């Protein structure tokens, strides 16, 4: 199989195997091995397969491709699996905004005497230099029973394989205007992995790994890897031909003529009681003034950007270069240091041809932010300016801003691989005050104040979260004793031997050990759930052993907080309603911070405390832990607790959640074994301490839901949630409420039985075509795209788990036979449906029909059914 790093080797093999099943009639060959046999004089492959998929489980929605492009560019493209138009980049989801025109992977190297760059996309062109023979493979952690669950990293993984070796049959061939030739490949193959989550702390970014492999017979010298981005931020999700091109800076009808870009290297962060500067390293783009309207506010107030992750990001090895593209060379400008200055083919900015692109990727420059352009006057000793004050001021206020963020150099022998990890990140509310742009860039020119007051906080927080998921801080992944970089926050000191000595400090890791983890904070595992019909409804039983004992991978804390029980008429999240909850009895401690900016305030810093923990900390008497008179809720914001030994330590308490913790009293959830003692960690349990399924009895719960109709299906689920992370601003996380939902039916009453034998019945009977069962929710749920005659159904209830249903016409002709085969433990085993379609695949006509149900032991019941259309 493909020669990948150990972490990807299994998944790549799975990808290839899956692709071969999808590609009917294609020879089962190894593309990596095939490509390795070719030299650069004879590169060619089969006709390429262009494919785009949509990342949409999070809050940042955009298209990803199997040809090195991010976003769609000018041409509308369709999701090659699901259909429907692929968005460029919408943020937040549902806002109908655009935050990316297109972006791409760029790889540059020196091969012999040639300087070459292979691009997933070029600026303002449909040209492609990377193609694939394979579609995009998808995996997900949301469906444990699905084959796509195996080896899944996130809730939405997309995996693509492509190369730059297509020199024949290129759909959109490229042309090097400087070298006057077509595309000349490096001879690389790219394995592209992209990951997205829906959790609150991770919903605003996507992590991407590009594993670049040298499949040529040449050494690739001075290799640079980069990401090119052209954002074109605007309201709406497509082009608007009503907006004319602007002579200064526009490329057409894309609203892409007034963006601003820059590079945020670091940003202040707070850990515990101390402030630090975190390295963020994100290249960003915004609409210059957020398309502000006095009536509706900002149309596009947010910001997107790219950061390089892991060990690949080192400031001395990273280049960030932006430019404003224009056909008019006088307006085509990008910052260049005087020592590296070169004409880029059309002017000072847009890099035309491989040589100029490579020069930009390899210059190790971090450009100044675009709003500072007018501050670079003629004669600046470091930077080459625009050369015209009016044009410079125009570019400072916005333009068709594009950039490439790159890292290198590397050396790649044949067969070598390099992993290039990035995060495409979004942040809310860069623009929050319309006056900032108008005061500091338009009417008056103070770019330093514009940047100082810009809303970078959410972007910085999300960029840091992406880096933490990629390489977990404080986690020694390879067991070599190194856990990463950390901050030390000094909280107290004392004079020891005449010198101030640190006596109390907090250590907080902010970088990992350099070995990728791709593991984020996650909710507790969902409990194991069972459902059983009762005469009045359903009995829900669940075991939370894993939910209550699993440590969070980032905090290493058992952060379980409680359970939610859901009931719905179908398995959509919007249909599932919460019918019960349990949360632990605990309290939040709100501490006064006299040093907070812009003003002192109370802050939540710690994990929730149990009542016993608080009594031991703040109770009185010989044994404070036995101080039953201590009540945390007597200390409120207007009358806080003041520590007797530390008068500057002031705080109060509030309930964490609702403290619905009394089983059968404050919550309808009950313990099945209320007297079972809690198991001790690490101690093997005896058989009488385990349920029939093998789970500890202590964690076994149940509840009943009554008053349910016996004639409709219900969906139930139980989720687990944690208490979040106050110090990092992480809200509580809940396991997916749509995963592992159980379809079940309420039981039948006693008058529906005939001795020991179930009395089978059919409903609705008669079935009326004019009854509008669909509108009432009895049929066609979640099938909105199908007409009424495709969703009709007659229900058979009270069936034995294994039987055969037959429907006959009045003349005795067999109309339809249904094999009913269920496991007896399945709560839906007593029901089945008939779609009113005959065995000849025709919709039946009005009339009287007979039905029979025969069990495996030969017992038979029969009845009549009337259908009226």
């Amino acid at each position: 199989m493909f020669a990948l790093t150990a972490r990807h080797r299994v998944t790549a093999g799975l990808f290839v195997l899956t692709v071969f099943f999808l590609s009917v009639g294609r020879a089962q060959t190894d593309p990596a091995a095939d490509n390795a046999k070719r030299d650069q004089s004879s590169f060619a492959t089969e006709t390429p397969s262009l494919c785009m998929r949509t990342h949409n489980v999070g809050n940042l929605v955009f298209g990803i491709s199997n040809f090195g492009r991010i976003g769609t560019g000018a041409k509308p493209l369709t999701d090659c699996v699901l259909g429907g138009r692929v968005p460029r980049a919408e943020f937040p989801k549902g806002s109908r905004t655009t935050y990316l025109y297109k972006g791409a992977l760029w790889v540059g190297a020196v091969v012999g005497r040639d300087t070459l760059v292979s691009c997933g996309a070029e600026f303002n062109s449909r040209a492609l230099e990377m193609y694939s023979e394979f579609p995009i493979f998808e995996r997900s952690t949301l469906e444990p029973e699905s084959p796509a669950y195996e080896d899944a990293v996130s809730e939405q993984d997309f995996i693509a394989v492509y190369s730059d070796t297509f020199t024949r049959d290129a759909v959109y061939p490229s042309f090097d205007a400087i070298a006057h030739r077509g595309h000349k490949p490096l001879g690389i193959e790219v394995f592209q992995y992209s990951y997205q989550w829906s959790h609150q702390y991770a919903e605003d970014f996507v992590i991407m790994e590009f594993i670049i492999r040298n499949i040529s017979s040449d050494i690739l010298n001075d290799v640079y890897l980069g990401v090119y981005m052209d954002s074109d931020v605007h309201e709406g999700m497509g082009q608007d031909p009503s907006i004319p091109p602007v002579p200064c800076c526009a490329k057409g009808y894309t609203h892409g003529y007034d963006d601003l870009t820059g590079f945020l290297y670091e940003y202040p962060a707070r850990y515990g009681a101390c402030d630090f500067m975190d390295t963020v390293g994100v290249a960003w783009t915004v609409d210059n003034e957020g398309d502000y309207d006095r009536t509706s506010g900002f149309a596009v107030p947010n910001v997107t950007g790219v950061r390089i992750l892991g060990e690949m990001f080192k400031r001395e090895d990273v280049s960030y270069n932006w430019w404003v593209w224009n056909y008019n060379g006088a307006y085509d400008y990008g910052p260049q240091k005087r020592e590296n200055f070169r004409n880029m083919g059309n002017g000072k900015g847009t890099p035309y041809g491989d040589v100029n692109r490579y020069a930009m990727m390899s210059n190790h420059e971090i450009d100044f932010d675009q709003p500072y352009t007018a501050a670079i006057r003629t004669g600046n000793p470091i930077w080459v300016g625009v050369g015209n004050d009016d044009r410079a001021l125009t570019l400072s206020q916005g333009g068709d801003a594009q950039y490439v963020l790159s890292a290198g150099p590397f050396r790649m022998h044949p067969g070598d691989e390099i992993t290039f990890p990035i995060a495409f990140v979004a942040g809310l509310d860069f623009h929050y005050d319309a006056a900032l742009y108008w005061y500091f860039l338009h009417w008056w020119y103070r770019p330093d104040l514009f940047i100082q007051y810009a809303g970078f906080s959410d972007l910085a927080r999300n960029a840091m979260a992406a880096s933490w998921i990629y390489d977990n801080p404080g986690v020694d992944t390879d067991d070599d004793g190194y856990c990463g970089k950390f901050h030390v926050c000094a909280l107290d000191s004392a004079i020891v031997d005449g010198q101030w000595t640190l006596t109390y400090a907090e250590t907080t890791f902010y970088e990992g050990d350099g070995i990728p983890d791709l593991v984020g904070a996650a909710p507790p595992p969902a409990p194991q759930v069972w459902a059983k019909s009762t005469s009045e409804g359903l009995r829900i039983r669940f075991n939370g052993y894993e939910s209550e004992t699993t440590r969070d991978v980032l905090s290493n804390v058992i952060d379980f907080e409680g359970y939610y029980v859901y009931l719905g008429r179908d398995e959509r999240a919007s249909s599932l309603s919460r019918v019960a909850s349990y949360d632990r009895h605990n309290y939040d401690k709100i501490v006064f911070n006299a040093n907070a900016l812009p003003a002192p305030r109370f802050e939540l810093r710690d994990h929730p405390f149990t009542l016993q923990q608080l009594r031991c900390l703040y109770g009185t008497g010989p044994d404070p832990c036995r101080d039953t008179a201590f009540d945390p809720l007597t200390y409120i914001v207007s009358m806080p607790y003041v520590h007797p030994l530390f008068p500057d330590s002031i705080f109060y308490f509030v309930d964490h959640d609702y403290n619905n913790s009394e089983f059968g009293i404050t919550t309808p959830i009950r313990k099945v074994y209320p007297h079972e003692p809690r198991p001790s960690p690490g101690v093997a349990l005896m058989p009488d301490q385990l349920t029939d399924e093998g789970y500890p009895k202590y964690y076994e719960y149940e509840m009943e839901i009554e008053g349910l109709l016996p004639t409709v299906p219900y969906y139930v689920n139980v989720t687990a949630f944690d208490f979040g992370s106050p110090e990092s601003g992480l809200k509580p996380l809940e396991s997916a409420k749509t995963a592992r939902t159980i379809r079940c039916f309420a039981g039948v009453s006693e008058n529906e039985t005939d001795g020991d034998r179930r009395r089978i019945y059919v409903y609705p009977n008669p079935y009326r075509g004019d009854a509008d069962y669909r509108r009432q929710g009895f049929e066609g749920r979640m099938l909105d795209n199908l007409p009424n005659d495709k969703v009709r159904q007659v229900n058979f209830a009270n069936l034995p788990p294994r039987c055969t249903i037959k429907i006959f016409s009045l003349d005795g002709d067999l109309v339809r036979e249904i094999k009913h085969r269920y496991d007896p433990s399945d709560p839906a085993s007593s029901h089945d449906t008939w779609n009113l379609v005959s065995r000849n695949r025709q919709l039946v006509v009005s009339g009287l029909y007979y039905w029979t149900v025969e069990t495996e032991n030969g017992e038979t019941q029969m009845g009549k059914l009337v259908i009226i259309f």
Side-chain angles (χ1 to χ4, degrees), residues 91-112:
F91 178 77
K93 180 163 56 178
S95 62
R96 299 196 60 79
T97 54
T98 292
Y99 281 87
L100 176 63
Y101 179 65
K102 67 178 177 183
L105 172 69
W106 283 10
V107 181
V110 176
V111 185

Side-chain angles (χ1 to χ4, degrees), residues 270 272 589-593 596-597 601-605:
R270 185 173 184 85
K589 176 182 172 184
I590 316 298
V591 182
F592 183 71
N593 180 6
L597 296 175
R601 61 177 179 267
F602 281 96
E603 298 176 342
L604 174 62
R605 296 181 182 173

Side-chain angles (χ1 to χ4, degrees), residues 112-153:
R113 296 183 179 181
D114 290 326
T115 299
L116 305 175
V117 179
S118 290
C119 302
E122 297 183 10
F123 38 82
N124 312 325
S125 168
R126 294 184 180 180
L128 301 178
E129 296 181 350
M130 299 185 186
Y131 292 90
S132 177
E133 299 175 56
F134 308 104
I136 297 175
F137 178 57
E138 182 176 3
R139 297 183 306 205
S140 175
T141 59
L142 291 176
E143 299 293 341
E145 289 77 20
S146 168
Y149 177 80
E150 186 177 357
D151 296 318
V153 171

